[in-house]
Amino acid sequence: MKKIWLLLTVFATVFTNAQEINWVTFEEALALQKKTPKKIMMDVYTNWCGPCKMLDKNTFHNKDVVDYVNKNYYAVKFNAEGNKEVNYKGQTFSNPNYNPANMNRRNSAHELSRYFQIQAYPTIVFLDEKGDVIAPIKGYQTPPQLELYLKMFREDKHKEIDTQEKFNVYYKAFKPEFKG
């Protein structure tokens, strides 16, 4: 009986602590913005990308990141080489050269990836409350590294930063609170 109780306690702890970001499609995020304006954080990934998988496992499952993103952003996962049609700004974007045989290998870039000028995977694209691009952030980000951008864009601090020097000052003054 004690073993069963211990096992149930362990499972309850695991499932209680297993939080996830509330991912939605890009079109759902854009629709949600019309009802309740929030910025969008879009994880642009590919199926074959190792750093993309690390970002998902290490950063997007971090409790501090999960809590902050779910409260302050609409979160979108977008396969940069996928084949889903996406409507954005009155245009339909697709991947006409998509090859299903290459689903888990390098494939053709989706037109939306090209539109956002994605040059590396992973890239996190931040969009404002109107769905306009604020900035793409290239590469793997630890929770404290991502925190800087999450808070900078959420608080519109990026609007005051128009030079590398101003970014450096912001970066040096920033005190991360997320556990890495």
Side-chain angles (χ1 to χ4, degrees):
M1 187 67 155
K2 286 183 182 179
K3 287 182 182 177
I4 292 172
W5 182 253
L6 179 64
L7 198 58
L8 288 173
T9 304
V10 169
F11 279 127
T13 303
V14 168
F15 287 112
T16 302
N17 293 332
Q19 293 184 316
E20 291 204 12
I21 290 176
N22 299 323
W23 299 104
V24 296
T25 67
F26 188 41
E27 287 150 316
E28 287 171 334
L30 294 169
L32 287 166
Q33 279 188 323
K34 291 178 181 165
K35 295 176 189 166
T36 307
K38 282 189 196 179
K39 291 179 174 67
I40 294 173
M41 178 197 77
M42 178 187 282
D43 172 28
V44 182
Y45 72 96
T46 65
N47 290 338
W48 53 263
C49 166
C52 299
K53 292 173 185 172
M54 287 175 41
L55 181 68
D56 187 55
K57 180 182 176 193
N58 301 332
T59 303
F60 292 146
H61 281 87
N62 173 283
K63 182 182 179 343
D64 294 324
V65 172
V66 169
D67 291 345
Y68 195 85
V69 168
N70 284 343
K71 181 179 177 189
N72 297 293
Y73 285 88
Y74 294 116
V76 173
K77 274 197 168 298
F78 180 72
N79 185 345
E81 296 180 353
N83 66 340
K84 290 189 177 167
E85 272 194 1
V86 176
N87 294 303
Y88 174 64
K89 301 273 183 195
Q91 291 182 266
T92 300
F93 297 89
S94 64
N95 191 348
N97 297 318
Y98 177 79
N99 181 350
N102 292 340
M103 186 171 81
N104 291 315
R105 297 193 304 266
R106 289 191 184 266
N107 213 321
S108 170
H110 196 283
E111 291 172 340
L112 188 62
S113 299
R114 290 188 182 131
Y115 181 84
F116 286 148
Q117 299 177 349
I118 304 300
Q119 299 172 351
Y121 307 120
T123 294
I124 301 171
V125 178
F126 287 91
L127 297 99
D128 68 15
E129 293 84 352
K130 294 179 182 170
D132 295 323
V133 174
I134 298 171
I137 307 300
K138 296 178 194 175
Y140 174 79
Q141 304 290 312
T142 64
Q145 288 170 327
L146 182 58
E147 178 185 4
L148 177 130
Y149 296 107
L150 286 169
K151 291 183 176 178
M152 179 175 68
F153 296 136
R154 165 70 174 79
E155 298 162 6
D156 286 328
K157 298 283 187 195
H158 64 283
K159 293 179 179 179
E160 303 163 14
I161 301 172
D162 56 2
T163 65
Q164 183 65 48
E165 291 77 24
K166 287 181 182 177
F167 177 80
N168 292 345
V169 168
Y170 179 83
Y171 178 82
K172 287 178 185 167
F174 185 79
K175 301 287 184 243
E177 298 170 352
F178 292 4
K179 304 290 183 258

